[in-house]
Amino acid sequence: MPVCEATGDREPPGDVRAPTEVAWFRLRAEELGCRWQQLAFGPSFGAALADSGELFVWGSCPRRGEARRFLEPRPLLFEGAAPGLRFRDVQCSEKSIWALATTGEVVVWERAPAMLAELASAPPSQAPRVARGGKLVPGMDRPVRILSVGASHASFITDEGDLYCLGSNRCGECGIDPAKETAAAGCRLINFPRHCNPIARVSCGKTHTVAIGAEGQVLSWGDDSKIQLGLGDTRSNVGEERPWEGSRGLIRKMQTGESMATSSALRGGPTRPRPRWAAPALAKSTGSSTRTTSGGPRS
């Protein structure tokens, strides 16, 4: 397990199964006179936001033939930022750190593991005490109010309630038919039914996105291979798409005794239909028997 004895941490005898204080955060808070407002984690790195609006980053880096090396927390700076720029939200994807400034600008530090590895490879006497980099996310003409980050895509809500998506679109999580585009290289404005605007909230899953509309409507789109969008077993106007699995498959088994889909089919075997994506659609209400359909493209 990566540790940093320079900040007072010690290697535990095994996995940590009880809440254990990370000494660096307490010492740094006492030194700066601040409180920690938010923590975010990627696979091998993390970021922290202090109530002063400052960012800090840390992580571990692989070393050939040796144990992973720990890079102790240090300030994360945005090069070229205006004096006094402060942040109010920080989130991590698989490879990047995203931060929302108090001005409504979004900054992303891409390839965070490589950035940390470069810092860790410097000789101790020459190692920078801060991490620098980052770039502004363009393509939105209004300040951003809400940020949400998934494994490889991100969503933004502006102060006027418009919602944009950016990043991977392998399963339609950016609101585009993945058969046409597998990534949204620039911010893409998502269109909703008029009565849903302005959008109030958004949350990114691994490969799907869910938003809450102005009147409380829940809208979801992207990967629905495990029925995670809340649209039920039917996502088109042509009948049941998956009669042998999911909730419909369980009901059929209980009523008729017929088996559900085989394990090979559930793993994507030859008898399983190709997963379909769903365009932004209202999730099915649990209090109604009416089926809601996405009306989205079918791959």
Side-chain angles (χ1 to χ4, degrees), residues 244-245 260-273 275:
W244 307 105
E245 58 178 287
M260 296 176 65
T262 62
S263 57
S264 62
L266 291 175
R267 290 194 299 268
T271 60
R272 178 181 173 87

Side-chain angles (χ1 to χ4, degrees), residues 160-171:
E160 292 186 344
D162 292 327
L163 191 150
Y164 293 82
C165 287
L166 173 68
S168 173
N169 187 60
R170 290 170 296 178
C171 299

Side-chain angles (χ1 to χ4, degrees), residues 68-298:
R68 297 181 68 89
R69 179 177 179 181
F70 180 74
L71 185 74
E72 67 181 42
R74 62 195 61 203
L76 178 61
L77 304 182
F78 171 39
E79 286 187 323
L85 180 68
R86 292 294 181 263
F87 296 93
R88 59 185 180 91
D89 190 6
V90 63
Q91 299 184 35
C92 296
S93 62
E94 286 184 340
K95 297 181 179 180
S96 303
I97 299 171
W98 304 73
L100 176 59
T102 55
T103 57
E105 298 171 302
V106 177
V107 180
V108 57
W109 288 262
E110 298 176 313
R111 301 176 64 246
M115 175 182 68
L116 295 178
E118 183 178 349
L119 292 173
S121 64
S125 59
Q126 302 176 14
R129 302 307 302 168
V130 300
R132 300 178 183 272
K135 67 177 184 179
L136 289 174
V137 175
M140 295 170 286
D141 56 3
R142 295 292 306 173
V144 172
R145 179 171 55 89
I146 293 176
L147 162 70
S148 181
V149 176
S152 54
H153 78 294
S155 296
F156 320 98
I157 299 179
T158 68
D159 60 353
E160 292 186 344
D162 292 327
L163 191 150
Y164 293 82
C165 287
L166 173 68
S168 173
N169 187 60
R170 290 170 296 178
C171 299
E173 55 265 50
C174 285
I176 314 169
D177 185 346
K180 298 179 179 179
E181 297 181 47
T182 58
C187 288
R188 175 182 173 85
L189 177 64
I190 306 297
N191 295 317
F192 296 95
R194 183 175 300 176
H195 66 285
C196 295
N197 292 316
I199 299 300
R201 301 289 299 177
V202 66
S203 184
C204 293
K206 182 177 181 180
T207 50
H208 66 287
T209 312
V210 181
I212 298 178
E215 299 175 1
Q217 310 95 327
V218 176
L219 305 108
S220 53
W221 61 97
D223 180 17
D224 198 31
S225 59
K226 296 181 175 63
I227 323 181
Q228 60 264 54
L229 298 186
L231 304 177
D233 284 320
T234 300
R235 302 186 306 285
S236 72
N237 337 341
V238 295
E240 298 289 0
E241 292 184 356
R242 56 177 102 200
W244 307 105
E245 58 178 287
S247 58
R248 181 57 186 159
L250 178 60
I251 293 173
R252 182 185 295 272
K253 179 180 180 181
M254 293 174 63
Q255 292 177 343
T256 67
E258 295 178 271
S259 297
M260 296 176 65
T262 62
S263 57
S264 62
L266 291 175
R267 290 194 299 268
T271 60
R272 178 181 173 87
R274 289 181 60 197
R276 293 173 170 85
W277 78 290
L282 288 170
K284 183 182 295 185
S285 170
T286 56
S288 171
S289 60
T290 304
R291 285 178 177 168
T292 304
T293 59
S294 69
R298 292 164 57 91

